[in-house]
Amino acid sequence: MNREIHRPDGTRIHYTATGPATGTALTLIHGWGCDRGDFDPIVKHLPPEVRVLAVDLAEHGDSRSDRDTWTIEEFARDVAAVLAAESVDSAVVAGHSLGGAVAVETARQLPDTVTQVIALDALHYLSLFPAQSEEDVQALLQPFREDFTGAMRGMVEAGSPEGTDPSLVDSYIRKMASVRQPGGLLALEGLARWDMDAALREVAQPIVLFAVRSIITQEAIDRYGDRFRIELVDLGSHHFPVESPAETAKLLAGEL
């Protein structure tokens, strides 16, 4: 069932509810430039008794917003509003890429509701997730300001291991380059300015990261291996939830 809630500043958040109306809600949060529809093939492979909420973040998919605040904290408030609207009192929050950051922040904001965080190839990119200096933030954003599509190509290719189908790479670039502006660029800035280490210090819930083996660095494993459980997978590129929906569904179901 497709549903919608309204938040301040002209924010209209769309989401999909599947499965039972009660019980622990597996809440799915997409990555930057993606949308909740990317989870549809995964949901089809989940057991029918699993309650699922798939959320379109502001200015992604069907959701729209006129707000001025584009922080990870505000995206988490979008998710929290969906959980409140659905009267969820227990949730496992799973996020891909940007959505992994939003999942952690949602757990920080809702310590009595979120019982676990699942990150899908998120949290381990050291040039994004730990707090960045102002100089690093500007260096990250400048290519996108000058040539958005070109910079997006570089980002997608960096997350595509050798052997990735070029047509898949092109499809991701087209989709992500079409994200509405200025929300898309501001969301990327919000991610670059988010202090993940500060959030992790406040999150007591268990966190598991499913990371693409050929992409994650040993430096990231050394830095965060004692903070959250890291499971290495060989299911495709950074966008493996789209490429391997059945296998991704098994990973999610195994954590419930």
Side-chain angles (χ1 to χ4, degrees):
M1 296 180 64
N2 295 315
R3 298 175 181 173
E4 177 183 356
I5 58 168
H6 290 225
R7 296 198 62 234
D9 301 318
T11 301
R12 304 173 302 284
I13 300 298
H14 289 251
Y15 64 99
T16 303
T18 307
T22 59
T24 297
L26 173 60
T27 306
L28 303 174
I29 309 171
H30 59 77
W32 187 93
C34 303
D35 59 67
R36 74 186 193 277
D38 293 330
F39 291 114
D40 289 348
I42 294 174
V43 173
K44 292 178 181 177
H45 289 285
L46 289 170
E49 66 271 16
V50 176
R51 182 185 187 186
V52 183
L53 301 174
V55 182
D56 271 346
L57 298 175
E59 284 303 319
H60 290 74
D62 296 321
S63 295
R64 296 291 177 262
S65 181
D66 299 323
R67 67 193 182 201
D68 297 322
T69 303
W70 293 92
T71 61
I72 299 300
E73 291 85 349
E74 192 65 18
F75 280 131
R77 293 183 190 105
D78 292 338
V79 177
V82 170
L83 297 180
E86 293 294 317
S87 301
V88 172
D89 55 18
S90 176
V92 173
V93 185
H96 168 243
S97 196
L98 164 75
V102 178
V104 170
E105 188 60 43
T106 304
R108 175 160 67 167
Q109 294 181 16
L110 300 176
D112 297 327
T113 301
V114 176
T115 61
Q116 182 177 0
V117 173
I118 303 173
L120 303 173
D121 212 55
L123 310 184
H124 63 84
Y125 289 90
L126 299 184
S127 62
L128 271 178
F129 288 100
Q132 304 295 307
S133 68
E134 183 61 27
E135 182 180 1
D136 289 339
V137 169
Q138 295 304 323
L140 172 70
L141 297 176
Q142 192 59 36
F144 288 90
R145 292 168 176 155
E146 294 175 352
D147 179 4
F148 191 84
T149 301
M152 184 53 58
R153 174 171 291 278
M155 178 176 284
V156 173
E157 289 178 344
S160 302
E162 185 178 354
T164 302
D165 184 343
S167 66
L168 279 176
V169 173
D170 289 342
S171 69
Y172 299 147
I173 294 168
R174 286 194 300 271
K175 181 172 185 176
M176 297 171 75
S178 66
V179 66
R180 283 164 50 105
Q181 299 298 347
L185 186 58
L186 293 172
L188 186 60
E189 180 177 355
L191 177 59
R193 294 186 183 282
W194 182 59
D195 188 341
M196 184 176 76
D197 291 332
L200 290 175
R201 287 193 291 270
E202 297 182 27
V203 172
Q205 301 95 317
I207 301 171
V208 58
L209 161 65
F210 292 104
V212 175
R213 187 187 310 273
S214 58
I215 296 178
I216 192 171
T217 64
Q218 186 61 47
E219 183 183 1
I221 294 173
D222 293 342
R223 177 166 179 165
Y224 291 114
D226 62 349
R227 180 57 190 85
F228 43 77
R229 176 162 55 95
I230 300 175
E231 302 287 348
L232 304 182
V233 298
D234 300 293
L235 299 178
S237 76
H238 172 64
H239 292 86
F240 76 81
V242 172
E243 297 158 24
S244 303
E247 292 81 358
T248 303
K250 290 179 182 178
L251 296 178
L252 295 172
E255 296 296 324
L256 299 179

PDB file of all heavy atoms in Angstrom, residues 57-91:
ATOM      1  N   LEU A  57      12.958   9.179   0.821  1.00  0.00           N
ATOM      2  CA  LEU A  57      13.442  10.376   1.500  1.00  0.00           C
ATOM      3  C   LEU A  57      13.045  11.629   0.715  1.00  0.00           C
ATOM      4  O   LEU A  57      12.738  11.563  -0.472  1.00  0.00           O
ATOM      5  CB  LEU A  57      14.961  10.316   1.645  1.00  0.00           C
ATOM      6  CG  LEU A  57      15.514   9.152   2.482  1.00  0.00           C
ATOM      7  CD1 LEU A  57      17.038   9.158   2.437  1.00  0.00           C
ATOM      8  CD2 LEU A  57      15.014   9.210   3.912  1.00  0.00           C
ATOM      9  N   ALA A  58      13.072  12.755   1.371  1.00  0.00           N
ATOM     10  CA  ALA A  58      12.665  14.013   0.743  1.00  0.00           C
ATOM     11  C   ALA A  58      13.442  14.258  -0.555  1.00  0.00           C
ATOM     12  O   ALA A  58      14.653  14.055  -0.624  1.00  0.00           O
ATOM     13  CB  ALA A  58      12.894  15.179   1.706  1.00  0.00           C
ATOM     14  N   GLU A  59      12.703  14.653  -1.599  1.00  0.00           N
ATOM     15  CA  GLU A  59      13.247  14.928  -2.941  1.00  0.00           C
ATOM     16  C   GLU A  59      13.849  13.697  -3.611  1.00  0.00           C
ATOM     17  O   GLU A  59      14.669  13.817  -4.523  1.00  0.00           O
ATOM     18  CB  GLU A  59      14.257  16.071  -2.910  1.00  0.00           C
ATOM     19  CG  GLU A  59      13.599  17.439  -2.780  1.00  0.00           C
ATOM     20  CD  GLU A  59      12.594  17.730  -3.897  1.00  0.00           C
ATOM     21  OE1 GLU A  59      12.870  17.394  -5.059  1.00  0.00           O
ATOM     22  OE2 GLU A  59      11.531  18.298  -3.598  1.00  0.00           O
ATOM     23  N   HIS A  60      13.420  12.524  -3.173  1.00  0.00           N
ATOM     24  CA  HIS A  60      13.763  11.272  -3.839  1.00  0.00           C
ATOM     25  C   HIS A  60      12.452  10.538  -4.127  1.00  0.00           C
ATOM     26  O   HIS A  60      11.505  10.611  -3.356  1.00  0.00           O
ATOM     27  CB  HIS A  60      14.655  10.393  -2.959  1.00  0.00           C
ATOM     28  CG  HIS A  60      16.038  10.925  -2.777  1.00  0.00           C
ATOM     29  ND1 HIS A  60      16.331  12.003  -1.970  1.00  0.00           N
ATOM     30  CD2 HIS A  60      17.225  10.530  -3.311  1.00  0.00           C
ATOM     31  CE1 HIS A  60      17.633  12.240  -2.010  1.00  0.00           C
ATOM     32  NE2 HIS A  60      18.199  11.370  -2.813  1.00  0.00           N
ATOM     33  N   GLY A  61      12.440   9.822  -5.247  1.00  0.00           N
ATOM     34  CA  GLY A  61      11.219   9.099  -5.591  1.00  0.00           C
ATOM     35  C   GLY A  61      10.040  10.040  -5.686  1.00  0.00           C
ATOM     36  O   GLY A  61      10.086  11.063  -6.373  1.00  0.00           O
ATOM     37  N   ASP A  62       8.974   9.720  -4.946  1.00  0.00           N
ATOM     38  CA  ASP A  62       7.759  10.535  -4.978  1.00  0.00           C
ATOM     39  C   ASP A  62       7.726  11.627  -3.924  1.00  0.00           C
ATOM     40  O   ASP A  62       6.810  12.448  -3.914  1.00  0.00           O
ATOM     41  CB  ASP A  62       6.526   9.634  -4.779  1.00  0.00           C
ATOM     42  CG  ASP A  62       6.352   8.632  -5.912  1.00  0.00           C
ATOM     43  OD1 ASP A  62       6.599   9.016  -7.076  1.00  0.00           O
ATOM     44  OD2 ASP A  62       5.977   7.467  -5.643  1.00  0.00           O
ATOM     45  N   SER A  63       8.684  11.629  -3.005  1.00  0.00           N
ATOM     46  CA  SER A  63       8.660  12.599  -1.917  1.00  0.00           C
ATOM     47  C   SER A  63       9.167  13.965  -2.382  1.00  0.00           C
ATOM     48  O   SER A  63      10.087  14.054  -3.186  1.00  0.00           O
ATOM     49  CB  SER A  63       9.513  12.104  -0.744  1.00  0.00           C
ATOM     50  OG  SER A  63       8.966  10.930  -0.175  1.00  0.00           O
ATOM     51  N   ARG A  64       8.574  15.009  -1.825  1.00  0.00           N
ATOM     52  CA  ARG A  64       8.939  16.375  -2.182  1.00  0.00           C
ATOM     53  C   ARG A  64       9.051  17.236  -0.929  1.00  0.00           C
ATOM     54  O   ARG A  64       8.406  16.965   0.084  1.00  0.00           O
ATOM     55  CB  ARG A  64       7.885  16.983  -3.134  1.00  0.00           C
ATOM     56  CG  ARG A  64       7.805  16.272  -4.482  1.00  0.00           C
ATOM     57  CD  ARG A  64       9.055  16.533  -5.301  1.00  0.00           C
ATOM     58  NE  ARG A  64       9.068  15.813  -6.565  1.00  0.00           N
ATOM     59  CZ  ARG A  64       9.707  14.663  -6.763  1.00  0.00           C
ATOM     60  NH1 ARG A  64      10.384  14.101  -5.772  1.00  0.00           N
ATOM     61  NH2 ARG A  64       9.673  14.069  -7.938  1.00  0.00           N
ATOM     62  N   SER A  65       9.867  18.292  -1.024  1.00  0.00           N
ATOM     63  CA  SER A  65      10.037  19.180   0.125  1.00  0.00           C
ATOM     64  C   SER A  65      10.519  20.545  -0.322  1.00  0.00           C
ATOM     65  O   SER A  65      11.296  20.663  -1.275  1.00  0.00           O
ATOM     66  CB  SER A  65      11.035  18.580   1.115  1.00  0.00           C
ATOM     67  OG  SER A  65      11.193  19.429   2.233  1.00  0.00           O
ATOM     68  N   ASP A  66      10.054  21.590   0.390  1.00  0.00           N
ATOM     69  CA  ASP A  66      10.514  22.958   0.158  1.00  0.00           C
ATOM     70  C   ASP A  66      11.427  23.421   1.284  1.00  0.00           C
ATOM     71  O   ASP A  66      11.731  24.608   1.399  1.00  0.00           O
ATOM     72  CB  ASP A  66       9.309  23.918   0.086  1.00  0.00           C
ATOM     73  CG  ASP A  66       8.372  23.570  -1.063  1.00  0.00           C
ATOM     74  OD1 ASP A  66       8.874  23.165  -2.129  1.00  0.00           O
ATOM     75  OD2 ASP A  66       7.145  23.692  -0.884  1.00  0.00           O
ATOM     76  N   ARG A  67      11.900  22.511   2.102  1.00  0.00           N
ATOM     77  CA  ARG A  67      12.634  22.910   3.293  1.00  0.00           C
ATOM     78  C   ARG A  67      14.035  23.410   2.954  1.00  0.00           C
ATOM     79  O   ARG A  67      14.562  23.170   1.872  1.00  0.00           O
ATOM     80  CB  ARG A  67      12.710  21.736   4.271  1.00  0.00           C
ATOM     81  CG  ARG A  67      13.526  20.553   3.820  1.00  0.00           C
ATOM     82  CD  ARG A  67      13.240  19.384   4.746  1.00  0.00           C
ATOM     83  NE  ARG A  67      14.021  18.201   4.436  1.00  0.00           N
ATOM     84  CZ  ARG A  67      13.676  16.986   4.817  1.00  0.00           C
ATOM     85  NH1 ARG A  67      12.564  16.804   5.518  1.00  0.00           N
ATOM     86  NH2 ARG A  67      14.419  15.945   4.511  1.00  0.00           N
ATOM     87  N   ASP A  68      14.640  24.043   3.954  1.00  0.00           N
ATOM     88  CA  ASP A  68      15.996  24.560   3.819  1.00  0.00           C
ATOM     89  C   ASP A  68      17.024  23.684   4.528  1.00  0.00           C
ATOM     90  O   ASP A  68      18.225  23.884   4.352  1.00  0.00           O
ATOM     91  CB  ASP A  68      16.081  25.982   4.396  1.00  0.00           C
ATOM     92  CG  ASP A  68      15.210  26.969   3.638  1.00  0.00           C
ATOM     93  OD1 ASP A  68      15.138  26.846   2.394  1.00  0.00           O
ATOM     94  OD2 ASP A  68      14.594  27.829   4.279  1.00  0.00           O
ATOM     95  N   THR A  69      16.568  22.749   5.337  1.00  0.00           N
ATOM     96  CA  THR A  69      17.466  21.902   6.127  1.00  0.00           C
ATOM     97  C   THR A  69      17.598  20.537   5.472  1.00  0.00           C
ATOM     98  O   THR A  69      16.618  19.796   5.352  1.00  0.00           O
ATOM     99  CB  THR A  69      16.929  21.738   7.558  1.00  0.00           C
ATOM    100  OG1 THR A  69      16.772  23.019   8.159  1.00  0.00           O
ATOM    101  CG2 THR A  69      17.870  20.893   8.398  1.00  0.00           C
ATOM    102  N   TRP A  70      18.830  20.199   5.061  1.00  0.00           N
ATOM    103  CA  TRP A  70      19.059  18.945   4.342  1.00  0.00           C
ATOM    104  C   TRP A  70      20.137  18.118   5.050  1.00  0.00           C
ATOM    105  O   TRP A  70      21.075  17.630   4.432  1.00  0.00           O
ATOM    106  CB  TRP A  70      19.461  19.244   2.893  1.00  0.00           C
ATOM    107  CG  TRP A  70      18.329  19.858   2.141  1.00  0.00           C
ATOM    108  CD1 TRP A  70      18.071  21.180   1.986  1.00  0.00           C
ATOM    109  CD2 TRP A  70      17.267  19.161   1.481  1.00  0.00           C
ATOM    110  NE1 TRP A  70      16.921  21.362   1.268  1.00  0.00           N
ATOM    111  CE2 TRP A  70      16.402  20.137   0.934  1.00  0.00           C
ATOM    112  CE3 TRP A  70      16.964  17.810   1.286  1.00  0.00           C
ATOM    113  CZ2 TRP A  70      15.260  19.804   0.225  1.00  0.00           C
ATOM    114  CZ3 TRP A  70      15.834  17.477   0.570  1.00  0.00           C
ATOM    115  CH2 TRP A  70      14.993  18.465   0.055  1.00  0.00           C
ATOM    116  N   THR A  71      19.972  17.975   6.344  1.00  0.00           N
ATOM    117  CA  THR A  71      20.918  17.215   7.134  1.00  0.00           C
ATOM    118  C   THR A  71      20.481  15.758   7.246  1.00  0.00           C
ATOM    119  O   THR A  71      19.320  15.414   6.995  1.00  0.00           O
ATOM    120  CB  THR A  71      21.020  17.800   8.548  1.00  0.00           C
ATOM    121  OG1 THR A  71      19.720  17.717   9.173  1.00  0.00           O
ATOM    122  CG2 THR A  71      21.475  19.255   8.501  1.00  0.00           C
ATOM    123  N   ILE A  72      21.415  14.904   7.641  1.00  0.00           N
ATOM    124  CA  ILE A  72      21.071  13.508   7.916  1.00  0.00           C
ATOM    125  C   ILE A  72      20.068  13.440   9.061  1.00  0.00           C
ATOM    126  O   ILE A  72      19.157  12.603   9.062  1.00  0.00           O
ATOM    127  CB  ILE A  72      22.335  12.696   8.246  1.00  0.00           C
ATOM    128  CG1 ILE A  72      23.300  12.703   7.054  1.00  0.00           C
ATOM    129  CG2 ILE A  72      21.982  11.260   8.627  1.00  0.00           C
ATOM    130  CD1 ILE A  72      22.731  12.101   5.783  1.00  0.00           C
ATOM    131  N   GLU A  73      20.211  14.344  10.015  1.00  0.00           N
ATOM    132  CA  GLU A  73      19.263  14.382  11.128  1.00  0.00           C
ATOM    133  C   GLU A  73      17.838  14.631  10.644  1.00  0.00           C
ATOM    134  O   GLU A  73      16.888  14.014  11.143  1.00  0.00           O
ATOM    135  CB  GLU A  73      19.675  15.471  12.128  1.00  0.00           C
ATOM    136  CG  GLU A  73      20.947  15.168  12.896  1.00  0.00           C
ATOM    137  CD  GLU A  73      22.215  15.566  12.159  1.00  0.00           C
ATOM    138  OE1 GLU A  73      22.150  15.897  10.956  1.00  0.00           O
ATOM    139  OE2 GLU A  73      23.292  15.540  12.790  1.00  0.00           O
ATOM    140  N   GLU A  74      17.687  15.522   9.657  1.00  0.00           N
ATOM    141  CA  GLU A  74      16.342  15.824   9.155  1.00  0.00           C
ATOM    142  C   GLU A  74      15.789  14.663   8.347  1.00  0.00           C
ATOM    143  O   GLU A  74      14.589  14.350   8.427  1.00  0.00           O
ATOM    144  CB  GLU A  74      16.364  17.099   8.320  1.00  0.00           C
ATOM    145  CG  GLU A  74      14.971  17.648   7.996  1.00  0.00           C
ATOM    146  CD  GLU A  74      14.205  18.110   9.232  1.00  0.00           C
ATOM    147  OE1 GLU A  74      14.815  18.333  10.295  1.00  0.00           O
ATOM    148  OE2 GLU A  74      12.969  18.251   9.126  1.00  0.00           O
ATOM    149  N   PHE A  75      16.630  13.978   7.577  1.00  0.00           N
ATOM    150  CA  PHE A  75      16.166  12.779   6.877  1.00  0.00           C
ATOM    151  C   PHE A  75      15.691  11.730   7.882  1.00  0.00           C
ATOM    152  O   PHE A  75      14.697  11.028   7.641  1.00  0.00           O
ATOM    153  CB  PHE A  75      17.290  12.193   6.020  1.00  0.00           C
ATOM    154  CG  PHE A  75      17.498  12.895   4.707  1.00  0.00           C
ATOM    155  CD1 PHE A  75      18.765  13.283   4.317  1.00  0.00           C
ATOM    156  CD2 PHE A  75      16.433  13.147   3.857  1.00  0.00           C
ATOM    157  CE1 PHE A  75      18.966  13.919   3.094  1.00  0.00           C
ATOM    158  CE2 PHE A  75      16.619  13.790   2.640  1.00  0.00           C
ATOM    159  CZ  PHE A  75      17.892  14.175   2.254  1.00  0.00           C
ATOM    160  N   ALA A  76      16.402  11.611   8.996  1.00  0.00           N
ATOM    161  CA  ALA A  76      15.986  10.654  10.022  1.00  0.00           C
ATOM    162  C   ALA A  76      14.635  11.042  10.616  1.00  0.00           C
ATOM    163  O   ALA A  76      13.830  10.164  10.963  1.00  0.00           O
ATOM    164  CB  ALA A  76      17.043  10.558  11.118  1.00  0.00           C
ATOM    165  N   ARG A  77      14.370  12.339  10.700  1.00  0.00           N
ATOM    166  CA  ARG A  77      13.060  12.767  11.195  1.00  0.00           C
ATOM    167  C   ARG A  77      11.953  12.391  10.214  1.00  0.00           C
ATOM    168  O   ARG A  77      10.817  12.133  10.623  1.00  0.00           O
ATOM    169  CB  ARG A  77      13.069  14.274  11.473  1.00  0.00           C
ATOM    170  CG  ARG A  77      13.988  14.661  12.626  1.00  0.00           C
ATOM    171  CD  ARG A  77      13.940  16.150  12.936  1.00  0.00           C
ATOM    172  NE  ARG A  77      14.997  16.497  13.887  1.00  0.00           N
ATOM    173  CZ  ARG A  77      16.117  17.132  13.577  1.00  0.00           C
ATOM    174  NH1 ARG A  77      16.314  17.542  12.318  1.00  0.00           N
ATOM    175  NH2 ARG A  77      17.032  17.385  14.489  1.00  0.00           N
ATOM    176  N   ASP A  78      12.272  12.373   8.918  1.00  0.00           N
ATOM    177  CA  ASP A  78      11.298  11.878   7.936  1.00  0.00           C
ATOM    178  C   ASP A  78      10.940  10.431   8.243  1.00  0.00           C
ATOM    179  O   ASP A  78       9.762  10.043   8.239  1.00  0.00           O
ATOM    180  CB  ASP A  78      11.873  11.957   6.517  1.00  0.00           C
ATOM    181  CG  ASP A  78      12.071  13.376   6.011  1.00  0.00           C
ATOM    182  OD1 ASP A  78      11.411  14.303   6.533  1.00  0.00           O
ATOM    183  OD2 ASP A  78      12.877  13.558   5.081  1.00  0.00           O
ATOM    184  N   VAL A  79      11.965   9.610   8.482  1.00  0.00           N
ATOM    185  CA  VAL A  79      11.734   8.198   8.772  1.00  0.00           C
ATOM    186  C   VAL A  79      10.986   8.047  10.087  1.00  0.00           C
ATOM    187  O   VAL A  79      10.043   7.249  10.197  1.00  0.00           O
ATOM    188  CB  VAL A  79      13.072   7.429   8.817  1.00  0.00           C
ATOM    189  CG1 VAL A  79      12.839   5.970   9.196  1.00  0.00           C
ATOM    190  CG2 VAL A  79      13.779   7.522   7.465  1.00  0.00           C
ATOM    191  N   ALA A  80      11.382   8.821  11.098  1.00  0.00           N
ATOM    192  CA  ALA A  80      10.710   8.757  12.392  1.00  0.00           C
ATOM    193  C   ALA A  80       9.228   9.116  12.266  1.00  0.00           C
ATOM    194  O   ALA A  80       8.373   8.517  12.934  1.00  0.00           O
ATOM    195  CB  ALA A  80      11.395   9.690  13.389  1.00  0.00           C
ATOM    196  N   ALA A  81       8.920  10.071  11.395  1.00  0.00           N
ATOM    197  CA  ALA A  81       7.522  10.462  11.192  1.00  0.00           C
ATOM    198  C   ALA A  81       6.715   9.324  10.575  1.00  0.00           C
ATOM    199  O   ALA A  81       5.540   9.122  10.911  1.00  0.00           O
ATOM    200  CB  ALA A  81       7.450  11.709  10.315  1.00  0.00           C
ATOM    201  N   VAL A  82       7.334   8.578   9.659  1.00  0.00           N
ATOM    202  CA  VAL A  82       6.659   7.410   9.077  1.00  0.00           C
ATOM    203  C   VAL A  82       6.398   6.365  10.154  1.00  0.00           C
ATOM    204  O   VAL A  82       5.293   5.800  10.249  1.00  0.00           O
ATOM    205  CB  VAL A  82       7.505   6.807   7.938  1.00  0.00           C
ATOM    206  CG1 VAL A  82       6.942   5.457   7.501  1.00  0.00           C
ATOM    207  CG2 VAL A  82       7.558   7.765   6.752  1.00  0.00           C
ATOM    208  N   LEU A  83       7.386   6.090  10.988  1.00  0.00           N
ATOM    209  CA  LEU A  83       7.206   5.104  12.052  1.00  0.00           C
ATOM    210  C   LEU A  83       6.105   5.537  13.010  1.00  0.00           C
ATOM    211  O   LEU A  83       5.300   4.706  13.469  1.00  0.00           O
ATOM    212  CB  LEU A  83       8.521   4.904  12.804  1.00  0.00           C
ATOM    213  CG  LEU A  83       9.684   4.337  11.983  1.00  0.00           C
ATOM    214  CD1 LEU A  83      10.931   4.187  12.852  1.00  0.00           C
ATOM    215  CD2 LEU A  83       9.317   3.009  11.354  1.00  0.00           C
ATOM    216  N   ALA A  84       6.049   6.826  13.306  1.00  0.00           N
ATOM    217  CA  ALA A  84       4.994   7.325  14.187  1.00  0.00           C
ATOM    218  C   ALA A  84       3.623   7.185  13.533  1.00  0.00           C
ATOM    219  O   ALA A  84       2.644   6.787  14.179  1.00  0.00           O
ATOM    220  CB  ALA A  84       5.260   8.779  14.560  1.00  0.00           C
ATOM    221  N   ALA A  85       3.540   7.502  12.246  1.00  0.00           N
ATOM    222  CA  ALA A  85       2.266   7.407  11.531  1.00  0.00           C
ATOM    223  C   ALA A  85       1.755   5.975  11.488  1.00  0.00           C
ATOM    224  O   ALA A  85       0.538   5.738  11.483  1.00  0.00           O
ATOM    225  CB  ALA A  85       2.420   7.957  10.110  1.00  0.00           C
ATOM    226  N   GLU A  86       2.682   5.016  11.444  1.00  0.00           N
ATOM    227  CA  GLU A  86       2.309   3.609  11.388  1.00  0.00           C
ATOM    228  C   GLU A  86       2.248   2.964  12.771  1.00  0.00           C
ATOM    229  O   GLU A  86       2.083   1.742  12.883  1.00  0.00           O
ATOM    230  CB  GLU A  86       3.296   2.848  10.509  1.00  0.00           C
ATOM    231  CG  GLU A  86       3.235   3.221   9.042  1.00  0.00           C
ATOM    232  CD  GLU A  86       1.926   2.819   8.395  1.00  0.00           C
ATOM    233  OE1 GLU A  86       1.446   1.698   8.659  1.00  0.00           O
ATOM    234  OE2 GLU A  86       1.366   3.639   7.631  1.00  0.00           O
ATOM    235  N   SER A  87       2.385   3.777  13.815  1.00  0.00           N
ATOM    236  CA  SER A  87       2.322   3.290  15.207  1.00  0.00           C
ATOM    237  C   SER A  87       3.308   2.153  15.458  1.00  0.00           C
ATOM    238  O   SER A  87       2.989   1.158  16.115  1.00  0.00           O
ATOM    239  CB  SER A  87       0.894   2.838  15.553  1.00  0.00           C
ATOM    240  OG  SER A  87      -0.031   3.888  15.407  1.00  0.00           O
ATOM    241  N   VAL A  88       4.512   2.309  14.932  1.00  0.00           N
ATOM    242  CA  VAL A  88       5.559   1.291  15.089  1.00  0.00           C
ATOM    243  C   VAL A  88       6.220   1.467  16.447  1.00  0.00           C
ATOM    244  O   VAL A  88       6.684   2.556  16.774  1.00  0.00           O
ATOM    245  CB  VAL A  88       6.605   1.409  13.970  1.00  0.00           C
ATOM    246  CG1 VAL A  88       7.784   0.485  14.244  1.00  0.00           C
ATOM    247  CG2 VAL A  88       5.972   1.104  12.626  1.00  0.00           C
ATOM    248  N   ASP A  89       6.272   0.403  17.237  1.00  0.00           N
ATOM    249  CA  ASP A  89       6.971   0.469  18.516  1.00  0.00           C
ATOM    250  C   ASP A  89       8.230  -0.385  18.536  1.00  0.00           C
ATOM    251  O   ASP A  89       8.958  -0.423  19.527  1.00  0.00           O
ATOM    252  CB  ASP A  89       6.047   0.076  19.674  1.00  0.00           C
ATOM    253  CG  ASP A  89       5.409  -1.290  19.497  1.00  0.00           C
ATOM    254  OD1 ASP A  89       5.909  -2.081  18.673  1.00  0.00           O
ATOM    255  OD2 ASP A  89       4.411  -1.575  20.186  1.00  0.00           O
ATOM    256  N   SER A  90       8.505  -1.071  17.412  1.00  0.00           N
ATOM    257  CA  SER A  90       9.729  -1.852  17.276  1.00  0.00           C
ATOM    258  C   SER A  90      10.111  -1.895  15.803  1.00  0.00           C
ATOM    259  O   SER A  90       9.302  -2.286  14.960  1.00  0.00           O
ATOM    260  CB  SER A  90       9.520  -3.280  17.807  1.00  0.00           C
ATOM    261  OG  SER A  90      10.671  -4.069  17.602  1.00  0.00           O
ATOM    262  N   ALA A  91      11.352  -1.490  15.508  1.00  0.00           N
ATOM    263  CA  ALA A  91      11.774  -1.417  14.110  1.00  0.00           C
ATOM    264  C   ALA A  91      13.226  -1.841  13.957  1.00  0.00           C
ATOM    265  O   ALA A  91      14.076  -1.505  14.779  1.00  0.00           O
ATOM    266  CB  ALA A  91      11.593  -0.002  13.561  1.00  0.00           C
TER     267      ALA A  91
END
